[in-house]
Structure formats: structure tokens, C-alpha cells
Amino acid sequence: MRVFSARRAAFLLFALLALFALVAAETSGTDLEQVSEEEKSLNDAELESLLGDAESLGFDTGDEEVAATGSVEPVPAVEEDDDEDDEPDEPTPDPDPEPEALPEPVPEPQSTPTEKDTQKETPKPVAAASPSANAQSGKSANKGPPPSLVAKPGQEPGPCAFCKASAHKLQVSLHGAHRDHHSDDEYEIDAARVGRKELPEETYVRHMRDVCGDKEYWGGYRSYQFESGQVVLTGSGLDWSALRDPRARETGIDHSADLMAACAAMENEAEKTGLYHAFWQGKKAYTGRKWFFQDAFCGAKGHACHVDTLQKKHEEL
């Protein structure tokens, strides 16, 4: 590779610039006369020498094309792409209009109640029942004592009342014996009733032997006389209990002896077999009442509380 002096290199650079100026001048159609006199003075020998030096430095001088055509093809000017600038701006969307506020609802005017509406809404007072109406219906307004005290046939001290009291006592005692034996288990008691099982003898005797001789128990039965003159017996198992009514006056008569005698007579008549039979039958075999011994021993035909017996007694009086 050749070594060039600084002057020669500068001259070579100047020549190249002049050559490029010629090419540009020919492309744009300008006159070559505009080249300075100093440039025209360059002879062909010096130009060839400069071009040779340029080739030795690796520059592409394009001598072949110039030699063949004698002219330099113009370099087409590259037009800048103005598409981006020419593109129309996208229209800016208009903002959504704000929704119009709905009008506030106007409250409906409240109608003033008329006199007819007031009469419809106002409940009518319910008239209180008169005492006479309560008396006719057999009910008291304050659920107190009945308006009148009336005794029915068989409620007075006598065979029917004594029979009912005795039957009640015998039923309670026999059921108590079963409760004692079955440890208060009603299921076992009902099973014994359905199976017709008797109690052990010692249990039966302990509960039933002196059932009718308890004078203190029978002393709790008392009789009362009404203003009408009627008398009723009160106590366990009877229709009337002890009265605390100023229209009823206790007679003070002791009925315990009559009651004990009636109980003993019933026990002897029914005997143990009869008492067991009634107990095994149960209330469903009679009227369904709780004290079904009264139905079995007092209400049956020919007994003290049967309808025919009571009617016959009433006729005798």
C-alpha cells in the first residue's frame, strides 16, 4: 500500500469532491461552467493519476460506467414519506351526553277521610250480655257459681250417692294395689289388665282388707242444704264437692256409718272375683267414664243409680 504525503492526500480529496460536484451538477441540469477555473485546469493525466490513487485506497470511482457512457447517471432523489403527515387526523369522538335527571315523583295527595269512611272503620261496640241471658244459657258471666243451686235425683244422701262413693273407693284401692305391685308402671298395669292377671294375695289383702273400715276417710263426706230445701252429698267420686256458697248450708249430719256399710256390702256382693272382672273390663266396656266401677256396680239395671230405680224412688216421695 502506497504512502501519501499530506499534501497529496488533500489534493486527492479535493479532486474527489470536484468529481462528485460534476455528477451532481449534471443530474440537476446545471451548467458545468459553474465549476471554477481551477477545476477546469486539471488535465486528464492528473485526473487519471488521482483516480488511480483513489482505486488504490479502495474507493469505487465508477470509471467503467463513465468511460462507456461518458456521463454519470443521476441519482434519483429519495422523497420523504409524508404519509404520516398527510393522513387525516382521526375524528375525536364526542363525549357521551350526560343522562337527563328523571323528574322526582310527585306524592299523591292523601285523601281526607270522609264521614262515611270513618263510620266504616270505627268498630261497633258489642253489647254486654244481660244477666238474664246468662241465666237462661246456664252460664255465669264471671264463671262463678251457677245462678241457681239445683240437686238432681241420686245426688242426695241415700243409696245412689252411697253406692257411688263406695265404688269410687274400691276402684282407687284396687288400682293402688296394682301400682304398688308394678312400681307405678302404667304399661305393666295395662298389660296385667289385658292378660287378666291377679295380684299376689298378700298385696291384695294389704290394700283391700280394711278399705271400707276407714272412718276418717268417710268422715270427709258432708251434706249441704240449698235455699230450695234440697240436700246433696259431697265428697270424692260424687257430682258435688265441698260447697263454699252462701246459698248452701252444711247440715252437720255424719254419714260415715252409712257409707262404710254400703262399701262393705258392695265388697261382699262383688267379692274379689267381681272386683277383678270390673277392673279387667276397664272403662271402655262401660260408658268410658274415669270412674267405671260406678257404672259396673251402681248404674246397671236394678242397682241404686239406674234410671228406673231413681224414677221409682222419686214417685214414692
Side-chain angles (χ1 to χ4, degrees):
M1 189 174 183
R2 298 177 184 181
V3 180
F4 298 95
S5 63
R7 182 178 179 181
R8 192 177 181 86
F11 184 78
L12 178 61
L13 180 62
F14 180 79
L16 289 175
L17 291 174
L19 180 61
F20 289 144
L22 287 174
V23 174
E26 187 174 326
T27 301
S28 59
T30 58
D31 193 357
L32 295 177
E33 293 180 356
Q34 295 178 0
V35 182
S36 63
E37 291 296 333
E38 186 178 356
E39 295 173 353
K40 293 180 180 181
S41 62
L42 293 176
N43 53 30
D44 294 337
E46 292 177 352
L47 180 60
E48 291 178 358
S49 176
L50 292 175
L51 291 174
D53 294 337
E55 290 179 357
S56 65
L57 293 175
F59 293 101
D60 186 8
T61 58
D63 289 343
E64 295 179 358
E65 294 181 1
V66 173
T69 60
S71 63
V72 180
E73 293 183 359
V75 178
V78 179
E79 297 181 359
E80 295 182 359
D81 189 2
D82 297 335
D83 292 343
E84 295 182 358
D85 297 338
D86 295 341
E87 290 181 0
D89 296 337
E90 295 182 358
T92 304
D94 296 334
D96 296 336
E98 296 183 359
E100 298 181 0
L102 298 176
E104 297 182 358
V106 180
E108 297 182 358
Q110 297 181 354
S111 59
T112 305
T114 60
E115 184 177 356
K116 293 183 179 180
D117 296 337
T118 306
Q119 292 177 357
K120 292 180 179 179
E121 295 177 359
T122 305
K124 296 182 180 180
V126 180
S130 60
S132 59
N134 292 329
Q136 293 176 1
S137 62
K139 298 180 180 180
S140 177
N142 58 359
K143 297 182 180 180
S148 60
L149 300 177
V150 178
K152 296 181 180 179
Q155 295 178 346
E156 73 281 356
C160 181
F162 296 156
C163 182
K164 284 185 175 181
S166 301
H168 175 268
K169 178 62 174 175
L170 293 173
Q171 179 179 341
V172 170
S173 298
L174 186 57
H175 188 265
H178 280 82
R179 291 180 58 186
D180 183 18
H181 179 66
H182 296 287
S183 302
D184 291 336
D185 189 342
E186 292 294 334
Y187 178 81
E188 293 292 335
I189 295 173
D190 289 338
R193 177 183 290 116
V194 174
R196 295 177 177 269
K197 296 180 181 180
E198 294 186 2
L199 295 169
E201 185 63 22
E202 61 274 11
T203 304
Y204 182 86
V205 172
R206 183 170 67 252
H207 287 272
M208 304 297 294
R209 180 176 56 185
D210 297 329
V211 66
C212 295
D214 189 354
K215 187 174 183 180
E216 183 179 358
Y217 171 81
W218 298 113
Y221 287 83
R222 300 178 182 180
S223 59
Y224 290 84
Q225 185 176 15
F226 300 154
E227 293 176 345
S228 61
Q230 294 176 316
V231 180
V232 294
L233 184 65
T234 66
S236 300
L238 299 181
D239 299 333
W240 291 87
S241 58
L243 293 173
R244 287 174 176 78
D245 193 305
R247 295 172 296 177
R249 179 179 59 86
E250 187 177 351
T251 62
I253 301 174
D254 185 6
H255 301 282
S256 58
D258 295 331
L259 290 167
M260 286 189 293
C263 180
M266 180 179 294
E267 184 180 17
N268 293 333
E269 182 179 353
E271 297 181 347
K272 184 170 67 174
T273 304
L275 296 177
Y276 270 123
H277 178 75
F279 183 79
W280 292 335
Q281 289 287 101
K283 64 181 180 181
K284 294 182 180 180
Y286 303 100
T287 62
R289 294 172 60 248
K290 178 180 180 180
W291 309 122
F292 56 91
F293 267 33
Q294 295 178 350
D295 297 330
F297 301 111
C298 303
K301 189 173 179 62
H303 289 204
C305 296
H306 191 267
V307 178
D308 295 342
T309 304
L310 294 176
Q311 182 65 28
K312 183 178 179 180
K313 183 180 179 180
H314 178 71
E315 293 176 355
E316 292 177 355
L317 296 175

